[in-house]
Each structure stands twice: as C-alpha cells, then as structure tokens.
C-alpha cells in the first residue's frame, strides 16, 4: 500500500512540474517548454490513474491536487517572486495539514 502513496506523491511532483511549466510555455508558443510541460502532464495523470486503482479516488485526487497546489504556490514564491505574506503562508500550511490528514485517516 505504501508504494501507491509514493506513486501518488511522484504524480503530485509532476503536477507541480506541468503547472510551473505553463509559465514558461508562453501560451504554448515556445516549443521546448511546451513539450516538457505536456510530457509532465501525461506522466502526472498516468501515475494518478495508476494510484487510484489502489487508493480511494476522492482521497487520491485531493492529495494529488493538494501537492500540486502547495508545490506550485511555493515555486511561485521562490521562482517568480510572488507574495510571501504571512496569511498566504498560513493558508498553504492549512493545505499541507489537510493532505497529511487525508493520508493518515483514509482507509482503502
């Protein structure tokens, strides 16, 4: 069962990759960033699809999107100089708490 959570985590990492990649595609007008973004999308969704064969769909999807949201928000802060306001950071931490809660309190 733990391997399925690891696969879901990796899917979330690739979701961060494609979400951040969108910033570099310039509306899918730049070839290399666009191709890398699309590959990352495919891997992310493929790994999510595999993991939901073994994990509850609602939990897996919420964790996947949570990892993507938190990771993308942090990348926005560190790569693109987006807001570091305390309230924003606290909201990101709430998402993390929710992800952890879903992981530990979900039963297949």
């Amino acid at each position: 069962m733990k391997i399925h959570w690891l696969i879901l985590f990796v899917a979330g990492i690739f979701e961060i990759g494609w979400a951040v990649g969108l910033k570099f595609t310039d509306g899918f007008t730049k070839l290399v960033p666009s191709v890398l973004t699309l590959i990352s999308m495919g891997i992310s969704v493929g790994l999510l699809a595999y993991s939901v064969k073994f994990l509850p769909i609602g939990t897996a999807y919420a964790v996947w999107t949570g990892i993507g949201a938190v990771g993308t928000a942090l990348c926005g802060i560190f790569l693109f100089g987006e807001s570091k306001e305390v309230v924003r950071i606290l909201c990101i931490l709430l998402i993390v708490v929710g992800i952890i809660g879903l992981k530990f309190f979900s039963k297949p």
Side-chain angles (χ1 to χ4, degrees):
M1 181 66 118
K2 290 183 182 185
I3 189 71
H4 305 108
W5 285 103
L6 177 61
I7 289 169
L8 182 62
F9 177 77
V10 173
I13 297 300
F14 276 97
E15 185 187 6
I16 296 166
W18 73 256
V20 171
L22 287 174
K23 186 82 167 169
F24 295 101
T25 67
D26 198 25
F28 288 104
T29 60
K30 294 182 179 176
L31 181 63
V32 173
S34 296
V35 169
L36 293 174
T37 298
L38 291 171
I39 289 169
S40 188
M41 282 179 181
I43 292 170
S44 180
V45 172
L47 292 174
L48 172 65
Y50 179 77
S51 70
V52 300
K53 290 170 53 176
F54 307 97
L55 301 172
I57 184 67
T59 300
Y61 184 75
V63 169
W64 180 70
T65 57
I67 291 168
V70 169
T72 303
L74 292 175
C75 286
I77 291 169
F78 293 109
L79 297 176
F80 306 116
E82 294 178 3
S83 171
K84 298 177 191 168
E85 290 183 34
V86 173
V87 174
R88 187 167 192 248
I89 302 299
L90 289 174
C91 290
I92 292 169
L93 288 174
L94 286 173
I95 296 170
V96 171
V97 169
I99 292 168
I100 292 168
L102 286 169
K103 161 63 174 101
F104 285 107
F105 298 109
S106 293
K107 295 181 182 180

